[in-house]
Amino acid sequence: MSSLTPHAPYRHAPKHRGEEDSSVGELLSTVTSDVQQLLHQEAELAKAEIREEATKAGKAAGMFGGAGFAGYMVAVFLSLAATFALANVMDLGWAALIVTGLWAVIGLILYRRGRAQMRTVSPKPEQTMQTLKEDMQWARHPTR
């Protein structure tokens, strides 16, 4: 009899249905464990990256804060210089009032522009919400 019998490919097939189920169960368990470990590692990597970027952003924000304070000091001293320059042609009180009025107008203009721009801001991340909905639909029906 030849070694190539019709049943030869099935020589290593499990004899009992339980053996096949436990093998599939073990495989699924291993795959699930590996996926969980991969997701955990990815989350840790993302946290580390975010922490590093937040540190950079914090340093940059500190520098912007320093620049803002320096700009404020420039505005104060320019205001004093303008006040004293105007005081050469009018009373010091009126010169100070004119410079103060100028700053009030600048503040009003900036306030109105900021308020108009704030009205265009959406607190809800629209694009993220849309992609999450699409992901949920795909997860429910991955073949569509």
Side-chain angles (χ1 to χ4, degrees), residues 95-110:
L97 192 59
I98 290 172
V99 172
T100 301
L102 180 65
W103 276 112
V105 169
I106 291 170
L108 181 64
I109 291 169
L110 289 173

